[in-house]
Amino acid sequence: MDILVNLQAFLATADTAGFSAAARKLNVSTSVVAKRVTQLEARIGAPLFHRSTRQLRLTEAGQRYVHRARSVVADATDLLSRMGEKGHDLVDHLRIKAPTSLTVARLADAFSAFQTQNPRLKLEIVLIDRPVDPVTEGFDIAIGAFPHSFGGVVDEPLCPLKRLLCASPAYLKKHGAPKHPRDLVDHRCLSFLPTGPEWIFDGPRGRISIQVSPLLSSNEGHVLARSAIAGNGIALISHYLVADALRDGTLKPVLRDFPIPELWVKAAIPERRRNAAAVQALLRELKSALLPVL
């Protein structure tokens, strides 16, 4: 168990940038944390931290090993949890990458409910709006809708993500409604920054790609929805963000005959973590939370 507690001390020190803060986190003395890190450095034959009187910084070796160490500790914790008398209690540390808008609108409640059900489980949730390789960046689960795949990673589909064009009645009255996607080049467009200004549609004769010049770009879908409701332009946006506005008529669908290709929200999981009890339990929670609403 020495190597496990030494790795835990290393991770706590890396997370808090200090032996004292790490000691408080682990509920041990500062000298114990420092000793465990020193033992680990001696074992691998390289320093893990640049030490100064003000703070500790990861060395190149520390940066190289920290994500792998986190995975090793998570695997060991999962194994011990399964072997213990209380194997039904999840004990693990999950590091999760999630998209901003979807987390704010839907996933935050799912994460909270999951942790309430599993009080011994630690969650670290990082909001990132770009493709992430969970292996190289040290995540147990990377949630997103980008069509990227990575080696050593399993993609678990969570739910379809419907998108559409919409605008306020006031905007459509003032500027008119486009009849074809190519008409969008003459309209005020509101674009989701991570997917870019190339808007793709399914037409009667196949795919249509239009390059728009956005009046507003944002990586937060709620910003686009608010701007569209205010009459600032036509938004390409996820349906779940504007469902209420569509129902009450605050927003109107645009170009219904040219639907936006559907995306899938998926969870990218390192192969070595795919069968971890906490990972599988969280996937079930996410699917249950997302399928009825997206």
Side-chain angles (χ1 to χ4, degrees):
M1 293 294 289
D2 284 349
I3 188 65
L4 180 59
V5 295
N6 289 351
L7 286 171
Q8 289 171 328
F10 164 52
L11 292 175
T13 305
D15 291 340
T16 60
F19 289 139
S20 297
R24 290 192 294 271
K25 183 175 182 178
L26 296 174
N27 198 28
V28 297
S29 69
T30 301
S31 61
V32 167
V33 173
K35 180 180 179 181
R36 290 175 180 175
V37 171
T38 300
Q39 288 175 341
L40 186 60
E41 290 175 323
R43 178 71 178 270
I44 67 172
L48 295 168
F49 295 98
H50 295 293
R51 291 163 168 80
S52 71
T53 56
R54 294 186 176 182
Q55 66 174 11
L56 300 179
R57 292 184 297 107
L58 286 170
T59 62
E60 183 178 342
Q63 292 173 354
R64 188 165 61 248
Y65 294 137
V66 67
H67 297 316
R68 292 293 301 276
R70 204 178 300 279
S71 295
V72 169
V73 170
D75 285 346
T77 303
D78 177 67
L79 176 61
L80 293 173
S81 176
R82 291 172 183 265
M83 294 173 64
E85 293 182 0
K86 295 184 178 181
H88 57 281
D89 291 338
L90 295 178
V91 182
D92 207 334
H93 181 140
L94 296 184
R95 189 165 186 259
I96 303 159
K97 172 267 178 187
T100 303
S101 298
L102 185 58
T103 302
V104 172
R106 296 288 185 264
L107 296 183
D109 288 341
F111 289 139
S112 297
F114 183 66
Q115 196 156 43
T116 298
Q117 298 161 12
N118 302 281
R120 301 175 68 192
L121 190 68
K122 294 182 179 180
L123 300 182
E124 179 183 347
I125 301 166
V126 184
L127 304 186
I128 301 175
D129 294 306
R130 59 173 172 80
V132 164
D133 180 348
V135 173
T136 60
E137 297 198 39
F139 289 98
D140 299 292
I141 299 176
I143 302 168
F146 294 101
H148 292 72
S149 296
F150 302 96
V153 174
V154 177
D155 290 335
E156 181 73 25
L158 297 178
C159 67
L161 181 63
K162 180 182 177 182
R163 298 177 299 157
L164 77 161
L165 286 187
C166 59
S168 71
Y171 176 87
L172 296 174
K173 182 178 180 180
K174 181 177 180 180
H175 298 277
K179 305 299 183 184
H180 189 276
R182 62 175 171 263
D183 298 337
L184 291 169
V185 297
D186 297 320
H187 277 269
R188 299 160 68 87
C189 296
L190 315 175
S191 181
F192 187 54
L193 197 57
T195 53
E198 183 184 16
W199 291 6
I200 298 175
F201 303 84
D202 283 330
R205 299 180 181 178
R207 288 282 167 94
I208 301 169
S209 176
I210 301 296
Q211 192 80 17
V212 301
S213 179
L215 174 74
L216 169 68
S217 296
S218 176
N219 69 328
E220 219 300 297
H222 293 89
V223 174
L224 301 180
R226 293 293 183 185
S227 188
I229 290 171
N232 291 331
I234 299 174
L236 194 164
I237 196 166
S238 297
H239 182 271
Y240 73 92
L241 288 167
V242 292
D244 291 341
L246 292 168
R247 276 192 294 268
D248 65 23
T250 309
L251 289 174
K252 297 291 185 182
V254 175
L255 291 176
R256 281 183 162 182
D257 294 334
F258 298 87
I260 310 296
E262 189 174 75
L263 295 177
W264 270 82
V265 179
K266 64 181 182 179
I269 308 159
E271 288 181 349
R272 64 195 306 273
R273 290 288 282 156
R274 67 180 301 184
N275 293 321
V279 169
Q280 289 299 317
L282 180 55
L283 290 177
R284 290 192 294 271
E285 179 71 26
L286 293 175
K287 289 179 180 179
S288 176
L290 291 175
L291 281 176
V293 294
L294 293 193

